[in-house]
Amino acid sequence: MALKIGNKIHMSWDDINILVDDLCSTITKSGVRIKSVTGIERGGLIPAVMISHKLGIPYVTKINKSTLVVDDICDTGETLKNTVGCYTATLHYKPTASFTPDFFSKEVGTEWIVYPWERSNSEAIQDYLKK
């Protein structure tokens, strides 16, 4: 179960499995024909592989128009904004982002999400915003 400490929400592996199951269900019900899956390096790799296994869709490194590009969160929207011509999915989505993924499991507020594959003491700031 997710643990909230201050402005951070620490996700467990069970939380991730539930979010991935929810995302896979949403994708399946949409009727969209996704033929491959890839993940944004770092945060999106693990959920992308989990989705690949659960949906029986190959994981690839070359993106095409029927590829699902996965990231852990759409926070500012900057990372996914440049993924043109394919489908996008995230575990979490912040409505303040400049981009809305095609699929997401859960909408979140301003909290900083700490995933189980990250350091628990991670700073609540995007890496690219650090000086």
Side-chain angles (χ1 to χ4, degrees), residues 23-25 27-28 34 37 50-57 68:
L23 196 53
C24 288
S25 175
I27 291 166
T28 301
I34 295 169
V37 178
M50 292 173 76
I51 290 167
S52 169
H53 287 296
K54 289 183 187 239
L55 293 180
I57 300 170
L68 178 68

Side-chain angles (χ1 to χ4, degrees), residues 40-130:
I40 300 290
E41 289 183 0
R42 290 180 67 179
L45 289 175
I46 292 171
V49 169
M50 292 173 76
I51 290 167
S52 169
H53 287 296
K54 289 183 187 239
L55 293 180
I57 300 170
Y59 183 90
V60 297
T61 55
K62 186 177 178 185
I63 299 171
N64 63 52
K65 65 182 179 181
S66 61
T67 299
L68 178 68
V69 177
V70 179
D71 206 356
D72 51 3
I73 188 168
C74 182
D75 190 331
T76 64
E78 292 303 310
T79 303
L80 291 171
K81 192 187 284 187
N82 299 318
T83 55
V84 213
C86 55
Y87 300 101
T88 55
T90 60
L91 300 177
H92 292 102
Y93 164 69
K94 292 188 178 183
T96 54
S98 62
F99 178 87
T100 303
D102 297 302
F103 307 101
F104 61 90
S105 288
K106 187 173 183 181
E107 190 174 295
V108 291
T110 59
E111 302 88 3
W112 185 258
I113 309 294
V114 181
Y115 295 96
W117 51 86
E118 297 177 313
R119 294 184 340 257
S120 62
N121 66 345
S122 64
E123 292 182 58
I125 185 170
Q126 298 289 343
D127 287 350
Y128 60 85
L129 296 176
K130 292 180 184 178

